PDB file of all heavy atoms in Angstrom:
ATOM      1  N   GLY A   1       0.823  -1.213  -0.005  1.00 92.00           N
ATOM      2  CA  GLY A   1      -0.020   0.000   0.013  1.00 92.00           C
ATOM      3  C   GLY A   1       0.889   1.216   0.017  1.00 92.00           C
ATOM      4  O   GLY A   1       1.958   1.242  -0.552  1.00 92.00           O
ATOM      5  N   PHE A   2       0.330   2.329   0.596  1.00 94.00           N
ATOM      6  CA  PHE A   2       1.096   3.531   0.663  1.00 94.00           C
ATOM      7  C   PHE A   2       0.799   4.288   1.964  1.00 94.00           C
ATOM      8  O   PHE A   2      -0.221   4.017   2.612  1.00 94.00           O
ATOM      9  CB  PHE A   2       0.853   4.496  -0.559  1.00 94.00           C
ATOM     10  CG  PHE A   2      -0.527   5.018  -0.677  1.00 94.00           C
ATOM     11  CD1 PHE A   2      -0.951   6.176   0.097  1.00 94.00           C
ATOM     12  CD2 PHE A   2      -1.471   4.539  -1.531  1.00 94.00           C
ATOM     13  CE1 PHE A   2      -2.139   6.716  -0.078  1.00 94.00           C
ATOM     14  CE2 PHE A   2      -2.737   5.035  -1.642  1.00 94.00           C
ATOM     15  CZ  PHE A   2      -3.116   6.121  -0.935  1.00 94.00           C
ATOM     16  N   ALA A   3       1.745   5.174   2.295  1.00 93.00           N
ATOM     17  CA  ALA A   3       1.608   6.007   3.436  1.00 93.00           C
ATOM     18  C   ALA A   3       1.884   7.446   3.021  1.00 93.00           C
ATOM     19  O   ALA A   3       2.787   7.694   2.275  1.00 93.00           O
ATOM     20  CB  ALA A   3       2.504   5.609   4.619  1.00 93.00           C
ATOM     21  N   LEU A   4       1.150   8.366   3.597  1.00 94.00           N
ATOM     22  CA  LEU A   4       1.303   9.759   3.286  1.00 94.00           C
ATOM     23  C   LEU A   4       1.421  10.446   4.651  1.00 94.00           C
ATOM     24  O   LEU A   4       0.504  10.351   5.457  1.00 94.00           O
ATOM     25  CB  LEU A   4       0.046  10.269   2.556  1.00 94.00           C
ATOM     26  CG  LEU A   4       0.064  11.579   1.836  1.00 94.00           C
ATOM     27  CD1 LEU A   4       1.222  11.739   0.916  1.00 94.00           C
ATOM     28  CD2 LEU A   4      -1.285  11.744   1.132  1.00 94.00           C
ATOM     29  N   VAL A   5       2.544  11.085   4.861  1.00 90.00           N
ATOM     30  CA  VAL A   5       2.796  11.811   6.148  1.00 90.00           C
ATOM     31  C   VAL A   5       2.964  13.291   5.921  1.00 90.00           C
ATOM     32  O   VAL A   5       3.855  13.672   5.063  1.00 90.00           O
ATOM     33  CB  VAL A   5       4.006  11.217   6.834  1.00 90.00           C
ATOM     34  CG1 VAL A   5       4.227  11.960   8.235  1.00 90.00           C
ATOM     35  CG2 VAL A   5       3.936   9.696   7.035  1.00 90.00           C
ATOM     36  N   ARG A   6       2.181  14.089   6.556  1.00 92.00           N
ATOM     37  CA  ARG A   6       2.310  15.527   6.531  1.00 92.00           C
ATOM     38  C   ARG A   6       2.988  15.925   7.777  1.00 92.00           C
ATOM     39  O   ARG A   6       2.510  15.668   8.887  1.00 92.00           O
ATOM     40  CB  ARG A   6       0.974  16.226   6.381  1.00 92.00           C
ATOM     41  CG  ARG A   6       0.257  16.003   5.098  1.00 92.00           C
ATOM     42  CD  ARG A   6      -1.129  16.674   5.087  1.00 92.00           C
ATOM     43  NE  ARG A   6      -1.005  18.080   5.156  1.00 92.00           N
ATOM     44  CZ  ARG A   6      -1.908  18.877   5.724  1.00 92.00           C
ATOM     45  NH1 ARG A   6      -2.944  18.395   6.306  1.00 92.00           N
ATOM     46  NH2 ARG A   6      -1.705  20.208   5.737  1.00 92.00           N
ATOM     47  N   ILE A   7       4.093  16.668   7.674  1.00 87.00           N
ATOM     48  CA  ILE A   7       4.784  17.219   8.833  1.00 87.00           C
ATOM     49  C   ILE A   7       4.601  18.688   8.867  1.00 87.00           C
ATOM     50  O   ILE A   7       5.064  19.368   7.880  1.00 87.00           O
ATOM     51  CB  ILE A   7       6.210  16.819   8.828  1.00 87.00           C
ATOM     52  CG1 ILE A   7       6.476  15.318   8.672  1.00 87.00           C
ATOM     53  CG2 ILE A   7       7.018  17.380  10.027  1.00 87.00           C
ATOM     54  CD1 ILE A   7       7.854  14.874   8.360  1.00 87.00           C
ATOM     55  N   LEU A   8       3.908  19.203   9.855  1.00 88.00           N
ATOM     56  CA  LEU A   8       3.619  20.600   9.952  1.00 88.00           C
ATOM     57  C   LEU A   8       4.468  21.239  11.016  1.00 88.00           C
ATOM     58  O   LEU A   8       4.649  20.606  12.044  1.00 88.00           O
ATOM     59  CB  LEU A   8       2.112  20.800  10.228  1.00 88.00           C
ATOM     60  CG  LEU A   8       1.160  20.074   9.217  1.00 88.00           C
ATOM     61  CD1 LEU A   8      -0.252  20.104   9.724  1.00 88.00           C
ATOM     62  CD2 LEU A   8       1.276  20.838   7.918  1.00 88.00           C
ATOM     63  N   GLY A   9       4.923  22.450  10.766  1.00 84.00           N
ATOM     64  CA  GLY A   9       5.746  23.048  11.810  1.00 84.00           C
ATOM     65  C   GLY A   9       5.797  24.576  11.564  1.00 84.00           C
ATOM     66  O   GLY A   9       5.070  25.164  10.787  1.00 84.00           O
ATOM     67  N   ASP A  10       6.688  25.186  12.372  1.00 81.00           N
ATOM     68  CA  ASP A  10       6.917  26.603  12.318  1.00 81.00           C
ATOM     69  C   ASP A  10       8.340  26.854  11.919  1.00 81.00           C
ATOM     70  O   ASP A  10       9.292  26.444  12.589  1.00 81.00           O
ATOM     71  CB  ASP A  10       6.614  27.261  13.643  1.00 81.00           C
ATOM     72  CG  ASP A  10       5.162  27.132  14.096  1.00 81.00           C
ATOM     73  OD1 ASP A  10       4.236  27.369  13.274  1.00 81.00           O
ATOM     74  OD2 ASP A  10       4.947  26.714  15.250  1.00 81.00           O
ATOM     75  N   ASN A  11       8.503  27.585  10.838  1.00 78.00           N
ATOM     76  CA  ASN A  11       9.872  28.025  10.409  1.00 78.00           C
ATOM     77  C   ASN A  11      10.799  26.862  10.322  1.00 78.00           C
ATOM     78  O   ASN A  11      11.912  26.869  10.805  1.00 78.00           O
ATOM     79  CB  ASN A  11      10.389  29.085  11.365  1.00 78.00           C
ATOM     80  CG  ASN A  11      11.577  29.864  10.821  1.00 78.00           C
ATOM     81  OD1 ASN A  11      11.719  29.947   9.544  1.00 78.00           O
ATOM     82  ND2 ASN A  11      12.365  30.401  11.656  1.00 78.00           N
ATOM     83  N   MET A  12      10.346  25.731   9.612  1.00 83.00           N
ATOM     84  CA  MET A  12      11.199  24.610   9.450  1.00 83.00           C
ATOM     85  C   MET A  12      12.244  24.885   8.415  1.00 83.00           C
ATOM     86  O   MET A  12      11.967  25.392   7.355  1.00 83.00           O
ATOM     87  CB  MET A  12      10.363  23.388   9.055  1.00 83.00           C
ATOM     88  CG  MET A  12       9.354  22.940  10.098  1.00 83.00           C
ATOM     89  SD  MET A  12       8.462  21.444   9.640  1.00 83.00           S
ATOM     90  CE  MET A  12       7.423  21.969   8.235  1.00 83.00           C
ATOM     91  N   LYS A  13      13.468  24.518   8.640  1.00 80.00           N
ATOM     92  CA  LYS A  13      14.608  24.768   7.741  1.00 80.00           C
ATOM     93  C   LYS A  13      14.833  23.455   6.967  1.00 80.00           C
ATOM     94  O   LYS A  13      15.033  22.420   7.592  1.00 80.00           O
ATOM     95  CB  LYS A  13      15.912  25.172   8.543  1.00 80.00           C
ATOM     96  CG  LYS A  13      15.729  26.379   9.400  1.00 80.00           C
ATOM     97  CD  LYS A  13      15.606  27.628   8.565  1.00 80.00           C
ATOM     98  CE  LYS A  13      15.551  28.813   9.509  1.00 80.00           C
ATOM     99  NZ  LYS A  13      14.748  29.892   8.903  1.00 80.00           N
ATOM    100  N   PRO A  14      14.934  23.513   5.644  1.00 74.00           N
ATOM    101  CA  PRO A  14      15.077  22.340   4.817  1.00 74.00           C
ATOM    102  C   PRO A  14      16.307  21.479   5.234  1.00 74.00           C
ATOM    103  O   PRO A  14      16.190  20.254   5.405  1.00 74.00           O
ATOM    104  CB  PRO A  14      15.248  22.829   3.398  1.00 74.00           C
ATOM    105  CG  PRO A  14      14.561  24.203   3.422  1.00 74.00           C
ATOM    106  CD  PRO A  14      14.784  24.750   4.782  1.00 74.00           C
ATOM    107  N   GLU A  15      17.456  22.099   5.403  1.00 76.00           N
ATOM    108  CA  GLU A  15      18.650  21.322   5.706  1.00 76.00           C
ATOM    109  C   GLU A  15      18.575  20.667   7.071  1.00 76.00           C
ATOM    110  O   GLU A  15      19.069  19.598   7.263  1.00 76.00           O
ATOM    111  CB  GLU A  15      19.908  22.186   5.606  1.00 76.00           C
ATOM    112  CG  GLU A  15      20.058  23.283   6.675  1.00 76.00           C
ATOM    113  CD  GLU A  15      19.267  24.583   6.425  1.00 76.00           C
ATOM    114  OE1 GLU A  15      18.583  24.698   5.392  1.00 76.00           O
ATOM    115  OE2 GLU A  15      19.309  25.483   7.293  1.00 76.00           O
ATOM    116  N   LYS A  16      17.910  21.312   8.017  1.00 73.00           N
ATOM    117  CA  LYS A  16      17.798  20.694   9.318  1.00 73.00           C
ATOM    118  C   LYS A  16      16.768  19.610   9.408  1.00 73.00           C
ATOM    119  O   LYS A  16      16.892  18.648  10.094  1.00 73.00           O
ATOM    120  CB  LYS A  16      17.500  21.817  10.397  1.00 73.00           C
ATOM    121  CG  LYS A  16      18.693  22.718  10.513  1.00 73.00           C
ATOM    122  CD  LYS A  16      18.487  23.864  11.455  1.00 73.00           C
ATOM    123  CE  LYS A  16      19.805  24.639  11.484  1.00 73.00           C
ATOM    124  NZ  LYS A  16      19.642  25.991  12.143  1.00 73.00           N
ATOM    125  N   ILE A  17      15.685  19.782   8.643  1.00 72.00           N
ATOM    126  CA  ILE A  17      14.644  18.700   8.526  1.00 72.00           C
ATOM    127  C   ILE A  17      15.305  17.490   7.846  1.00 72.00           C
ATOM    128  O   ILE A  17      15.055  16.337   8.259  1.00 72.00           O
ATOM    129  CB  ILE A  17      13.443  19.212   7.766  1.00 72.00           C
ATOM    130  CG1 ILE A  17      12.678  20.223   8.584  1.00 72.00           C
ATOM    131  CG2 ILE A  17      12.531  18.026   7.336  1.00 72.00           C
ATOM    132  CD1 ILE A  17      12.055  19.743   9.889  1.00 72.00           C
ATOM    133  N   MET A  18      16.120  17.669   6.787  1.00 71.00           N
ATOM    134  CA  MET A  18      16.808  16.595   6.182  1.00 71.00           C
ATOM    135  C   MET A  18      17.717  15.859   7.171  1.00 71.00           C
ATOM    136  O   MET A  18      17.767  14.633   7.152  1.00 71.00           O
ATOM    137  CB  MET A  18      17.584  17.069   4.910  1.00 71.00           C
ATOM    138  CG  MET A  18      16.704  17.503   3.771  1.00 71.00           C
ATOM    139  SD  MET A  18      15.514  16.204   3.298  1.00 71.00           S
ATOM    140  CE  MET A  18      16.565  14.886   2.784  1.00 71.00           C
ATOM    141  N   LYS A  19      18.370  16.596   7.995  1.00 71.00           N
ATOM    142  CA  LYS A  19      19.234  16.043   8.990  1.00 71.00           C
ATOM    143  C   LYS A  19      18.421  15.192   9.972  1.00 71.00           C
ATOM    144  O   LYS A  19      18.775  14.080  10.370  1.00 71.00           O
ATOM    145  CB  LYS A  19      20.039  17.133   9.734  1.00 71.00           C
ATOM    146  CG  LYS A  19      20.875  16.655  10.884  1.00 71.00           C
ATOM    147  CD  LYS A  19      22.044  15.894  10.447  1.00 71.00           C
ATOM    148  CE  LYS A  19      22.997  15.568  11.582  1.00 71.00           C
ATOM    149  NZ  LYS A  19      23.683  14.370  11.405  1.00 71.00           N
ATOM    150  N   LEU A  20      17.243  15.740  10.377  1.00 71.00           N
ATOM    151  CA  LEU A  20      16.393  14.994  11.317  1.00 71.00           C
ATOM    152  C   LEU A  20      15.885  13.688  10.642  1.00 71.00           C
ATOM    153  O   LEU A  20      15.856  12.648  11.195  1.00 71.00           O
ATOM    154  CB  LEU A  20      15.180  15.828  11.748  1.00 71.00           C
ATOM    155  CG  LEU A  20      14.241  15.231  12.755  1.00 71.00           C
ATOM    156  CD1 LEU A  20      14.916  14.847  14.026  1.00 71.00           C
ATOM    157  CD2 LEU A  20      13.064  16.114  12.949  1.00 71.00           C
ATOM    158  N   ILE A  21      15.493  13.800   9.401  1.00 67.00           N
ATOM    159  CA  ILE A  21      14.977  12.632   8.580  1.00 67.00           C
ATOM    160  C   ILE A  21      16.117  11.616   8.537  1.00 67.00           C
ATOM    161  O   ILE A  21      15.906  10.415   8.691  1.00 67.00           O
ATOM    162  CB  ILE A  21      14.460  12.997   7.247  1.00 67.00           C
ATOM    163  CG1 ILE A  21      13.116  13.801   7.385  1.00 67.00           C
ATOM    164  CG2 ILE A  21      14.256  11.785   6.342  1.00 67.00           C
ATOM    165  CD1 ILE A  21      12.594  14.426   6.143  1.00 67.00           C
ATOM    166  N   GLY A  22      17.321  12.067   8.251  1.00 65.00           N
ATOM    167  CA  GLY A  22      18.483  11.189   8.150  1.00 65.00           C
ATOM    168  C   GLY A  22      18.873  10.525   9.494  1.00 65.00           C
ATOM    169  O   GLY A  22      19.377   9.470   9.559  1.00 65.00           O
ATOM    170  N   ASP A  23      18.493  11.208  10.559  1.00 61.00           N
ATOM    171  CA  ASP A  23      18.799  10.776  11.898  1.00 61.00           C
ATOM    172  C   ASP A  23      17.598  10.128  12.666  1.00 61.00           C
ATOM    173  O   ASP A  23      17.472  10.151  13.840  1.00 61.00           O
ATOM    174  CB  ASP A  23      19.296  11.855  12.818  1.00 61.00           C
ATOM    175  CG  ASP A  23      20.698  12.388  12.410  1.00 61.00           C
ATOM    176  OD1 ASP A  23      21.310  11.706  11.507  1.00 61.00           O
ATOM    177  OD2 ASP A  23      21.141  13.467  12.903  1.00 61.00           O
ATOM    178  N   VAL A  24      16.775   9.524  11.914  1.00 57.00           N
ATOM    179  CA  VAL A  24      15.533   8.920  12.404  1.00 57.00           C
ATOM    180  C   VAL A  24      15.840   7.955  13.584  1.00 57.00           C
ATOM    181  O   VAL A  24      15.119   7.821  14.561  1.00 57.00           O
ATOM    182  CB  VAL A  24      14.636   8.207  11.321  1.00 57.00           C
ATOM    183  CG1 VAL A  24      13.591   7.342  11.946  1.00 57.00           C
ATOM    184  CG2 VAL A  24      14.078   9.283  10.433  1.00 57.00           C
ATOM    185  N   GLN A  25      17.001   7.315  13.508  1.00 49.00           N
ATOM    186  CA  GLN A  25      17.358   6.428  14.575  1.00 49.00           C
ATOM    187  C   GLN A  25      17.554   7.120  15.897  1.00 49.00           C
ATOM    188  O   GLN A  25      17.621   6.500  16.934  1.00 49.00           O
ATOM    189  CB  GLN A  25      18.668   5.616  14.207  1.00 49.00           C
ATOM    190  CG  GLN A  25      19.913   6.419  14.102  1.00 49.00           C
ATOM    191  CD  GLN A  25      20.127   7.032  12.724  1.00 49.00           C
ATOM    192  OE1 GLN A  25      19.224   6.945  11.862  1.00 49.00           O
ATOM    193  NE2 GLN A  25      21.325   7.520  12.508  1.00 49.00           N
ATOM    194  N   ASP A  26      17.715   8.497  15.894  1.00 47.00           N
ATOM    195  CA  ASP A  26      17.853   9.245  17.111  1.00 47.00           C
ATOM    196  C   ASP A  26      16.520   9.449  17.834  1.00 47.00           C
ATOM    197  O   ASP A  26      16.463  10.026  18.920  1.00 47.00           O
ATOM    198  CB  ASP A  26      18.464  10.603  16.820  1.00 47.00           C
ATOM    199  CG  ASP A  26      19.971  10.444  16.451  1.00 47.00           C
ATOM    200  OD1 ASP A  26      20.629   9.453  16.877  1.00 47.00           O
ATOM    201  OD2 ASP A  26      20.482  11.245  15.718  1.00 47.00           O
ATOM    202  N   ILE A  27      15.433   8.989  17.287  1.00 51.00           N
ATOM    203  CA  ILE A  27      14.100   9.097  17.932  1.00 51.00           C
ATOM    204  C   ILE A  27      14.202   8.015  19.050  1.00 51.00           C
ATOM    205  O   ILE A  27      14.596   6.865  18.815  1.00 51.00           O
ATOM    206  CB  ILE A  27      12.976   8.885  17.004  1.00 51.00           C
ATOM    207  CG1 ILE A  27      12.860  10.136  16.052  1.00 51.00           C
ATOM    208  CG2 ILE A  27      11.662   8.724  17.733  1.00 51.00           C
ATOM    209  CD1 ILE A  27      11.820   9.981  14.991  1.00 51.00           C
ATOM    210  N   ASP A  28      13.714   8.381  20.237  1.00 46.00           N
ATOM    211  CA  ASP A  28      13.760   7.463  21.373  1.00 46.00           C
ATOM    212  C   ASP A  28      12.621   6.471  21.217  1.00 46.00           C
ATOM    213  O   ASP A  28      11.453   6.674  21.621  1.00 46.00           O
ATOM    214  CB  ASP A  28      13.619   8.268  22.665  1.00 46.00           C
ATOM    215  CG  ASP A  28      13.781   7.346  23.886  1.00 46.00           C
ATOM    216  OD1 ASP A  28      14.005   6.148  23.731  1.00 46.00           O
ATOM    217  OD2 ASP A  28      13.588   7.910  24.955  1.00 46.00           O
ATOM    218  N   GLY A  29      12.956   5.308  20.619  1.00 50.00           N
ATOM    219  CA  GLY A  29      11.932   4.245  20.391  1.00 50.00           C
ATOM    220  C   GLY A  29      11.508   3.568  21.607  1.00 50.00           C
ATOM    221  O   GLY A  29      10.564   2.824  21.612  1.00 50.00           O
ATOM    222  N   GLY A  30      12.224   3.842  22.714  1.00 49.00           N
ATOM    223  CA  GLY A  30      11.942   3.282  24.030  1.00 49.00           C
ATOM    224  C   GLY A  30      10.851   3.950  24.812  1.00 49.00           C
ATOM    225  O   GLY A  30      10.331   3.433  25.799  1.00 49.00           O
ATOM    226  N   SER A  31      10.400   5.196  24.333  1.00 48.00           N
ATOM    227  CA  SER A  31       9.418   5.882  25.102  1.00 48.00           C
ATOM    228  C   SER A  31       8.067   5.146  25.025  1.00 48.00           C
ATOM    229  O   SER A  31       7.755   4.570  23.955  1.00 48.00           O
ATOM    230  CB  SER A  31       9.283   7.312  24.624  1.00 48.00           C
ATOM    231  OG  SER A  31       8.517   7.407  23.444  1.00 48.00           O
ATOM    232  N   SER A  32       7.356   5.201  26.058  1.00 47.00           N
ATOM    233  CA  SER A  32       6.094   4.418  26.106  1.00 47.00           C
ATOM    234  C   SER A  32       5.062   4.945  25.082  1.00 47.00           C
ATOM    235  O   SER A  32       4.360   4.194  24.522  1.00 47.00           O
ATOM    236  CB  SER A  32       5.465   4.540  27.536  1.00 47.00           C
ATOM    237  OG  SER A  32       5.155   5.876  27.791  1.00 47.00           O
ATOM    238  N   MET A  33       5.062   6.266  24.831  1.00 45.00           N
ATOM    239  CA  MET A  33       4.122   6.793  23.809  1.00 45.00           C
ATOM    240  C   MET A  33       4.521   6.270  22.398  1.00 45.00           C
ATOM    241  O   MET A  33       3.596   5.891  21.665  1.00 45.00           O
ATOM    242  CB  MET A  33       4.171   8.308  23.819  1.00 45.00           C
ATOM    243  CG  MET A  33       3.606   8.932  25.068  1.00 45.00           C
ATOM    244  SD  MET A  33       1.870   8.510  25.324  1.00 45.00           S
ATOM    245  CE  MET A  33       1.132   9.721  24.276  1.00 45.00           C
ATOM    246  N   VAL A  34       5.756   6.236  22.088  1.00 46.00           N
ATOM    247  CA  VAL A  34       6.168   5.709  20.780  1.00 46.00           C
ATOM    248  C   VAL A  34       5.840   4.194  20.701  1.00 46.00           C
ATOM    249  O   VAL A  34       5.371   3.794  19.642  1.00 46.00           O
ATOM    250  CB  VAL A  34       7.699   5.948  20.537  1.00 46.00           C
ATOM    251  CG1 VAL A  34       8.154   5.222  19.296  1.00 46.00           C
ATOM    252  CG2 VAL A  34       7.945   7.454  20.389  1.00 46.00           C
ATOM    253  N   LYS A  35       6.117   3.416  21.708  1.00 50.00           N
ATOM    254  CA  LYS A  35       5.720   1.961  21.737  1.00 50.00           C
ATOM    255  C   LYS A  35       4.244   1.790  21.531  1.00 50.00           C
ATOM    256  O   LYS A  35       3.838   0.917  20.768  1.00 50.00           O
ATOM    257  CB  LYS A  35       6.231   1.314  23.041  1.00 50.00           C
ATOM    258  CG  LYS A  35       7.724   1.106  23.036  1.00 50.00           C
ATOM    259  CD  LYS A  35       8.133   0.425  24.290  1.00 50.00           C
ATOM    260  CE  LYS A  35       9.625   0.153  24.307  1.00 50.00           C
ATOM    261  NZ  LYS A  35      10.071  -0.534  25.464  1.00 50.00           N
ATOM    262  N   GLN A  36       3.437   2.594  22.223  1.00 48.00           N
ATOM    263  CA  GLN A  36       1.984   2.455  22.069  1.00 48.00           C
ATOM    264  C   GLN A  36       1.545   2.832  20.640  1.00 48.00           C
ATOM    265  O   GLN A  36       0.739   2.116  20.086  1.00 48.00           O
ATOM    266  CB  GLN A  36       1.285   3.468  23.078  1.00 48.00           C
ATOM    267  CG  GLN A  36       1.333   2.969  24.509  1.00 48.00           C
ATOM    268  CD  GLN A  36       0.701   4.019  25.405  1.00 48.00           C
ATOM    269  OE1 GLN A  36       0.316   5.109  25.024  1.00 48.00           O
ATOM    270  NE2 GLN A  36       0.599   3.615  26.662  1.00 48.00           N
ATOM    271  N   LEU A  37       2.125   3.814  20.048  1.00 47.00           N
ATOM    272  CA  LEU A  37       1.786   4.273  18.694  1.00 47.00           C
ATOM    273  C   LEU A  37       2.213   3.145  17.704  1.00 47.00           C
ATOM    274  O   LEU A  37       1.460   2.806  16.807  1.00 47.00           O
ATOM    275  CB  LEU A  37       2.536   5.562  18.360  1.00 47.00           C
ATOM    276  CG  LEU A  37       2.244   6.155  16.986  1.00 47.00           C
ATOM    277  CD1 LEU A  37       0.751   6.448  16.802  1.00 47.00           C
ATOM    278  CD2 LEU A  37       3.044   7.435  16.743  1.00 47.00           C
ATOM    279  N   GLN A  38       3.413   2.587  17.930  1.00 48.00           N
ATOM    280  CA  GLN A  38       3.818   1.522  17.052  1.00 48.00           C
ATOM    281  C   GLN A  38       2.903   0.308  17.175  1.00 48.00           C
ATOM    282  O   GLN A  38       2.559  -0.283  16.103  1.00 48.00           O
ATOM    283  CB  GLN A  38       5.278   1.054  17.358  1.00 48.00           C
ATOM    284  CG  GLN A  38       6.358   2.041  16.967  1.00 48.00           C
ATOM    285  CD  GLN A  38       7.746   1.727  17.526  1.00 48.00           C
ATOM    286  OE1 GLN A  38       7.838   1.041  18.503  1.00 48.00           O
ATOM    287  NE2 GLN A  38       8.752   2.250  16.859  1.00 48.00           N
ATOM    288  N   GLY A  39       2.530  -0.029  18.336  1.00 52.00           N
ATOM    289  CA  GLY A  39       1.541  -1.165  18.523  1.00 52.00           C
ATOM    290  C   GLY A  39       0.262  -0.948  17.903  1.00 52.00           C
ATOM    291  O   GLY A  39      -0.308  -1.815  17.258  1.00 52.00           O
ATOM    292  N   PHE A  40      -0.221   0.307  17.963  1.00 46.00           N
ATOM    293  CA  PHE A  40      -1.500   0.661  17.405  1.00 46.00           C
ATOM    294  C   PHE A  40      -1.416   0.565  15.824  1.00 46.00           C
ATOM    295  O   PHE A  40      -2.310   0.003  15.240  1.00 46.00           O
ATOM    296  CB  PHE A  40      -1.938   2.098  17.798  1.00 46.00           C
ATOM    297  CG  PHE A  40      -3.181   2.543  17.177  1.00 46.00           C
ATOM    298  CD1 PHE A  40      -4.421   2.046  17.502  1.00 46.00           C
ATOM    299  CD2 PHE A  40      -3.115   3.510  16.111  1.00 46.00           C
ATOM    300  CE1 PHE A  40      -5.573   2.516  16.916  1.00 46.00           C
ATOM    301  CE2 PHE A  40      -4.318   3.934  15.514  1.00 46.00           C
ATOM    302  CZ  PHE A  40      -5.492   3.445  15.906  1.00 46.00           C
TER     303      PHE A  40
END
């Protein structure tokens, strides 16, 4: 299938957003909210 994600923000800088996308592993996957969202 497909997924469509809209990321909304204030004054987002392209180069910094690309760095964040590239550093997705830096998201704390251990947080309870992230685990609940992944399970859902």
Side-chain angles (χ1 to χ4, degrees):
F2 66 81
L4 192 56
V5 181
R6 292 177 66 210
I7 304 168
L8 304 168
D10 297 313
N11 199 23
M12 296 185 294
K13 305 287 184 211
E15 68 280 357
K16 292 178 180 167
I17 291 294
M18 289 307 297
K19 176 71 174 150
L20 181 61
I21 290 171
D23 291 349
V24 168
Q25 67 272 11
D26 289 333
I27 291 175
D28 185 2
S31 80
S32 63
M33 292 298 279
V34 171
K35 285 183 178 179
Q36 288 175 355
L37 183 60
Q38 287 172 337
F40 176 74

